[in-house]
Amino acid sequence: MPEWIAAHALLLWALLLLLALLAGDLAWQHNARWQHRARHRGEPAVVLRRHVGLLLALVLALAFTAIAFAVNAQQGGRLPGFDTGLAEQLRAQLPTPVLRAIAMLTHLGDLLWVAPLSAVIAVFLLWRRHRRLAGAWIIALFGILPINGGLKALFQRVRPLHDHGFIVEPGWSFPSGHAFGAMVFYGMLAYVLLRLTPRFHRAIIAAAVLLIGMIGISRILLQVHYFSDVMAGYAAGAAWLVVCIVVAETLRQPLPETSP
């Protein structure tokens, strides 16, 4: 199986991105229909209902826990074996020009790019007096380093061998910081843009899904992370993103009126 996946890695990458795009568009269409019905009933038309968001965050947290348990408790199990075999096959089969191109894409998830852009967006939101939205944005982005860094320190998984020279990554491997950070940064950016310019929802969602997918899977193709590192980074990052969106949606609702 790892040999076949490595031999068809780029095609599978494209298919996964296409499926993610379709899933994101279907999810938004469902959400748009629900918001329309909510407005018709005179209810708040939130992007993510609180109970749905908390349930989704719980499911994502359980998914992360399951991956972590499989990696940590079964060193000779199927998932670690798959991780190692896939990393070795990718190292042997991916040509140098492909790795060079992928290495350029993966920098879109680097802290040196994400941090200054996050600051610019926060300043812009405050300048336009979207204070609650700015607060949610700042909380979401400030949570990336302590949460992901704490998880890395907890599991202390060594990275796979990557000696192609296009990118060198120190530190622990599990979960992927780029996958976690891309999920939170581009996912939260999509939420902010949907709040400010909802008419461009399809383009916004497509761009976010593409960037998150490209950055996360590029870490596997470059062999700086195992497959399970990226999946765990996605799960943990999505859980944190959902919590932040629920908080943002709660803050934007008007306070209930109190009777005298």
Side-chain angles (χ1 to χ4, degrees), residues 8 26 32-35 37 56-57 62 78 86 107 109 144 146 204 208 221 241 250-251:
H8 302 85
L26 289 173
R33 288 193 296 269
W34 181 87
Q35 290 190 57
R37 290 194 297 267
L56 181 57
L62 289 175
R78 291 185 178 180
L86 181 60
H107 290 305
I144 293 176
I204 292 168
L221 298 179
L241 173 65
T250 302
L251 290 176

Side-chain angles (χ1 to χ4, degrees), residues 48-111:
L48 184 62
R49 288 167 283 180
R50 186 182 306 173
H51 66 281
V52 174
L54 294 178
L55 179 61
L56 181 57
L58 177 61
V59 170
L60 290 165
L62 289 175
F64 171 83
T65 303
I67 297 171
F69 180 81
V71 168
N72 202 45
Q74 301 179 17
Q75 292 299 327
R78 291 185 178 180
L79 184 55
F82 174 82
D83 279 343
T84 303
L86 181 60
E88 290 174 352
Q89 289 298 320
L90 287 171
R91 182 167 172 259
Q93 295 194 34
L94 281 181
T96 298
V98 172
L99 290 174
R100 184 180 293 111
I102 295 172
M104 296 175 64
L105 288 174
T106 203
H107 290 305
L108 291 172
D110 287 355
L111 182 63

Side-chain angles (χ1 to χ4, degrees), residues 39-193:
R39 293 189 189 97
H40 185 71
R41 296 192 299 264
E43 299 174 358
V46 297
V47 172
L48 184 62
R49 288 167 283 180
R50 186 182 306 173
H51 66 281
V52 174
L54 294 178
L55 179 61
L56 181 57
L58 177 61
V59 170
L60 290 165
L62 289 175
F64 171 83
T65 303
I67 297 171
F69 180 81
V71 168
N72 202 45
Q74 301 179 17
Q75 292 299 327
R78 291 185 178 180
L79 184 55
F82 174 82
D83 279 343
T84 303
L86 181 60
E88 290 174 352
Q89 289 298 320
L90 287 171
R91 182 167 172 259
Q93 295 194 34
L94 281 181
T96 298
V98 172
L99 290 174
R100 184 180 293 111
I102 295 172
M104 296 175 64
L105 288 174
T106 203
H107 290 305
L108 291 172
D110 287 355
L111 182 63
L112 291 177
W113 160 257
V114 170
L117 188 55
S118 299
V120 169
I121 294 170
V123 171
F124 172 79
L125 291 173
L126 291 171
W127 174 59
R128 294 299 300 269
R129 298 185 179 179
H130 298 292
R131 294 185 178 87
R132 293 180 179 179
L133 192 55
W137 169 262
I138 292 169
I139 291 171
L141 273 295
F142 265 90
I144 293 176
L145 286 179
I147 296 174
N148 187 255
L151 291 172
K152 283 180 179 289
L154 177 63
F155 292 101
Q156 297 188 0
R157 189 185 196 186
V158 178
R159 291 180 185 271
L161 177 64
H162 52 287
D163 56 359
H164 45 69
F166 296 115
I167 184 170
V168 177
E169 292 288 357
W172 303 114
S173 186
F174 184 92
S176 166
H178 274 65
F180 187 107
M183 180 65 73
V184 176
F185 176 76
Y186 291 107
M188 197 66 185
L189 179 58
Y191 169 73
V192 169
L193 292 175

Side-chain angles (χ1 to χ4, degrees), residues 1 23 32 59 214 229 239:
M1 181 63 73
V59 170
M214 286 192 301
D229 297 337

Side-chain angles (χ1 to χ4, degrees), residues 6-35:
H8 302 85
L10 298 180
L11 176 60
L12 291 173
W13 188 16
L15 289 175
L16 285 173
L17 290 175
L18 178 60
L19 288 173
L21 282 170
L22 292 174
D25 191 65
L26 289 173
W28 177 259
Q29 289 184 45
H30 173 76
N31 184 268
R33 288 193 296 269
W34 181 87
Q35 290 190 57

